[in-house]
């Protein structure tokens, strides 16, 4: 087996959801291009958190005064739902990139881009999680009230979800539009949206079970596609592929081994 794929498979046997508390404080940087002696390139969780302010700043147009209140609401939502919680697909993107990229390509510039790419996927995932809370009527998420529970009765979190997910597309375009695999990355994001939405629709059957207690609704034929589409694809297909595209890694061996990755979620 290719050494990179052997290492990737080993990564999936480890816990990939890490708490933000390990990352320390959020870095108050305003210029992604500036050099910094404290850039945490040897700590991937800190490195990802270092770039969170940039990912939010560049996920929404900020030059039009007409959208001042929209931008303010967007920032409030992102800093409420984004930091100080578990990380999911973003850490997988960074772990995979560290394994796949050659030593000479693990530059500060490429690691910064990998961190931005991690937030592209993580922010899309945040939208799905907040959407699940809204659809399922959850009250608590990440040890605090769900975002929709913090809003006045006449407001909804639905548009916040749409903004953070479309913002991920803007973020990808800003930093990767000149990357040779930008079309593949953009297509991958579209696949994440499609697959996870399908998983959320399948999950509706679980709500039916709560009302009917019909055991036929809990068969493996329902469980497997639910888990794959709702969580497995974004974690174990999109995450590794995103890292490969950023590293300009030959993806043909991956697609020959795709069935292995698709079973990791079960």
């Amino acid at each position: 087996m290719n050494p990179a794929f052997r290492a990737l498979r080993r990564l999936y046997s480890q816990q990939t959801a890490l708490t933000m508390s390990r990352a320390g404080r959020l870095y108050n940087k305003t210029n992604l291009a500036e050099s910094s002696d404290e850039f945490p390139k040897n700590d991937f969780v800190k490195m990802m958190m270092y770039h969170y302010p940039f990912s939010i700043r560049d996920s929404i147009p900020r030059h039009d005064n007409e959208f001042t209140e929209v931008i303010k609401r967007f920032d409030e939502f992102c800093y409420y739902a984004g930091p100080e919680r578990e990380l999911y697909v973003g850490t997988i993107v960074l772990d995979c990139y560290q394994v796949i990229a050659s030593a000479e390509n693990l530059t500060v510039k490429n690691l910064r881009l990998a961190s931005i790419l991690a937030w592209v996927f993580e922010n899309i995932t945040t939208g799905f999680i907040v959407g699940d809370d809204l659809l399922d009527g959850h009250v608590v998420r990440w040890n605090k009230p769900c975002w929709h529970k913090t809003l006045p009765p006449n407001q909804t979190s639905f548009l916040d979800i749409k903004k953070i997910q479309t913002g991920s597309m803007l973020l990808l375009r800003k930093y990767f539009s000149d990357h040779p695999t930008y079309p593949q990355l953009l297509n991958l994001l579209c696949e994440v949206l499609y697959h996870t939405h399908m998983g959320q629709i399948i999950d509706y059957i679980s709500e039916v079970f709560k009302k009917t207690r019909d055991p036929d609704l809990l068969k493996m034929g329902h469980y497997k596609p639910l888990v794959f589409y709702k969580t497995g694809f974004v974690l174990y297909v999109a995450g590794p592929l995103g890292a490969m595209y950023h590293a300009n890694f030959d993806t043909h061996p991956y697609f020959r081994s795709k069935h292995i990755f698709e079973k990791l979620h079960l």
Side-chain angles (χ1 to χ4, degrees):
M1 179 184 291
N2 184 296
F5 286 100
R6 188 181 301 113
L8 284 177
R9 190 168 65 176
R10 184 174 65 252
L11 284 172
Y12 289 124
S13 67
Q14 303 172 0
Q15 183 179 4
T16 54
L18 303 173
T19 60
M20 292 294 192
S21 59
R22 277 192 51 196
R25 66 182 178 85
L26 277 174
Y27 289 82
N28 295 316
K29 299 296 180 182
T30 57
N31 182 2
L32 187 62
E34 70 178 276
S35 60
S36 173
D37 293 336
E38 61 180 8
F39 179 70
K41 64 180 180 180
N42 295 321
D43 187 324
F44 272 43
V45 179
K46 282 188 176 181
M47 185 171 63
M48 187 172 170
M49 286 304 304
Y50 181 101
H51 292 86
Y52 188 68
F54 305 114
S55 76
I56 301 309
R57 183 196 66 187
D58 296 330
S59 291
I60 190 171
R62 296 179 179 270
H63 55 272
D64 197 330
N65 292 333
E66 292 182 349
F67 299 125
T68 299
E69 292 302 315
V70 174
I71 294 170
K72 180 180 178 181
R73 167 72 173 260
F74 178 75
D75 289 345
E76 289 176 354
F77 166 62
C78 291
Y79 280 96
Y80 186 88
E84 299 305 327
R85 65 166 176 83
E86 290 178 328
L87 295 171
Y88 301 97
V89 64
T91 56
I92 292 178
V93 172
L94 285 174
D95 284 341
C96 290
Y97 183 74
Q98 181 188 31
V99 171
I100 292 169
S102 59
E104 59 268 23
N105 285 331
L106 289 175
T107 62
V108 170
K109 177 182 177 180
N110 285 337
L111 289 172
R112 289 183 187 275
L113 286 174
S115 298
I116 291 293
L117 185 62
W119 281 116
V120 167
F121 286 99
E122 193 71 41
N123 289 345
I124 277 187
T125 304
T126 297
F128 286 124
I129 294 170
V130 175
D132 277 344
D133 290 339
L134 177 63
L135 291 171
D136 298 338
H138 294 162
V139 177
V140 176
R141 170 73 67 175
W142 302 310
N143 296 319
K144 59 185 178 182
C146 294
W147 171 249
H148 70 272
K149 299 300 292 184
T150 69
L151 302 176
N154 63 336
Q155 294 186 21
T156 177
S157 61
F158 177 71
L159 294 179
D160 300 313
I161 296 165
K162 293 178 71 68
K163 285 201 296 289
I164 196 171
Q165 292 186 326
T166 55
S168 293
M169 300 289 186
L170 294 177
L171 187 63
L172 182 72
R173 184 179 67 183
K174 177 177 176 62
Y175 288 100
F176 286 87
S177 59
D178 294 330
H179 195 281
T181 62
Y182 174 67
Q184 289 90 335
L185 284 168
L186 187 59
N187 180 69
L188 185 58
L189 284 189
C190 292
E191 287 192 80
V192 168
L193 288 169
Y194 173 77
H195 281 77
T196 312
H197 280 312
M198 292 299 293
Q200 288 180 315
I201 294 171
I202 296 172
D203 193 29
Y204 177 73
I205 297 177
S206 301
E207 295 301 311
V208 175
F209 170 77
K210 293 178 182 179
K211 298 177 181 179
T212 65
R213 297 297 174 180
D214 181 358
D216 288 337
L217 296 175
L218 300 181
K219 292 181 177 179
M220 289 300 290
H222 165 67
Y223 171 76
K224 288 183 177 180
L226 166 62
V227 176
F228 174 72
Y229 285 108
K230 194 170 181 180
T231 61
F233 181 82
V234 65
L235 291 176
Y236 302 119
V237 176
L241 269 179
M244 291 179 197
Y245 288 142
H246 176 34
N248 285 315
F249 190 79
D250 181 9
T251 57
H252 289 90
Y254 169 84
F255 285 108
R256 289 197 296 268
S257 307
K258 187 179 178 181
H259 62 284
I260 298 174
F261 291 82
E262 290 180 347
K263 292 179 180 178
L264 289 169
H265 66 282
L266 296 176

